[in-house]
Amino acid sequence: MTTLADRPHTALLVIDVQKGVVDGAHQRDAVVANIGTLVEKARAEGVPVVWVQHSDEDLAKGSDAWEYVPELTRQDPEPLVHKTFGDSFEDTDLEEILAGAGVGRLVVTGAQTDACIRATIHGAFVRGYDVTLVADAHTASDNSAWGSPPPDQVIAHTNLYWRYQTAPGRVAVVAGTKDVRFRD
């Protein structure tokens, strides 16, 4: 139902699953495994996998912390989007990549739930994309020392409110890894 004309395809977004981002994150190993399952499923179905990689003063480009986790490997033809803001669309070539592939629906995975995941799902939705958030394939670190709820609650709340997100001509979905369908 995307509002983007002539963009019937789906892409899998893998956002910021970098060593320094997910180190110590809630259920890190299970989330990374779920993302790996989705990457393989997308590849098998010929669905584009788009990798997003964050850098900032705490996550220096080229550093070990900046690298993707070793369990996930990008293949050469798969796009890599470098970003410096939470929203993966902001000041990047993500929109151009998706438009070129005719993508109007995104399946979103990665980290951090309460930062780059939320910013990107909202950014995509307001730009006209249908957005599926994979409930068990995004994670957050424990920021409760700074007043945030514990990560399991951050994740649960994001999954809860996203399933009720609405806008004209767009669809917001929450699905578990096993329920994700890249094609209707």
Side-chain angles (χ1 to χ4, degrees):
M1 285 194 48
T2 178
T3 62
L4 301 169
D6 300 318
R7 298 199 25 200
H9 303 297
T10 299
L12 174 65
L13 286 187
V14 182
I15 301 171
D16 302 349
V17 190
Q18 298 160 253
K19 294 175 185 177
V21 176
V22 298
D23 183 41
H26 181 71
Q27 296 186 342
R28 179 235 186 256
D29 293 343
V31 168
V32 170
N34 288 340
I35 294 169
T37 296
L38 290 165
V39 167
E40 292 308 314
K41 182 177 179 181
R43 288 174 178 159
E45 294 184 25
V47 170
V49 179
V50 180
W51 302 80
V52 179
Q53 192 170 26
H54 189 84
S55 61
D56 59 29
E57 66 231 14
D58 297 323
L59 200 61
K61 203 175 220 183
S63 69
D64 188 58
W66 176 79
E67 296 294 331
Y68 252 78
V69 297
E71 298 95 324
L72 300 175
T73 304
R74 181 180 73 85
Q75 293 180 349
D76 284 334
E78 295 170 341
L80 175 60
V81 175
H82 293 281
K83 71 177 182 65
T84 57
F85 297 99
D87 181 350
S88 298
F89 289 90
E90 195 65 45
D91 199 28
T92 70
D93 59 351
L94 179 58
E95 173 56 30
E96 294 166 32
I97 290 166
L98 298 173
V103 170
R105 177 176 171 255
L106 300 176
V107 175
V108 178
T109 66
Q112 297 272 345
T113 299
D114 48 354
C116 298
I117 296 298
R118 284 188 186 169
T120 299
I121 61 177
H122 286 278
F125 207 61
V126 300
R127 287 173 174 87
Y129 289 88
D130 290 339
V131 179
T132 297
L133 177 63
V134 185
D136 55 357
H138 64 98
T139 188
S141 296
D142 188 350
N143 292 316
S144 58
W146 295 275
S148 176
D152 61 326
Q153 291 178 15
V154 168
I155 294 162
H157 178 255
T158 303
N159 290 339
L160 173 68
Y161 87 73
W162 192 251
R163 77 181 69 245
Y164 297 106
Q165 190 72 23
T166 60
R170 285 157 278 170
V171 176
V173 174
V174 177
T177 296
K178 66 179 179 51
D179 299 319
V180 169
R181 292 183 15 214
F182 291 111
R183 305 198 189 280
D184 292 328

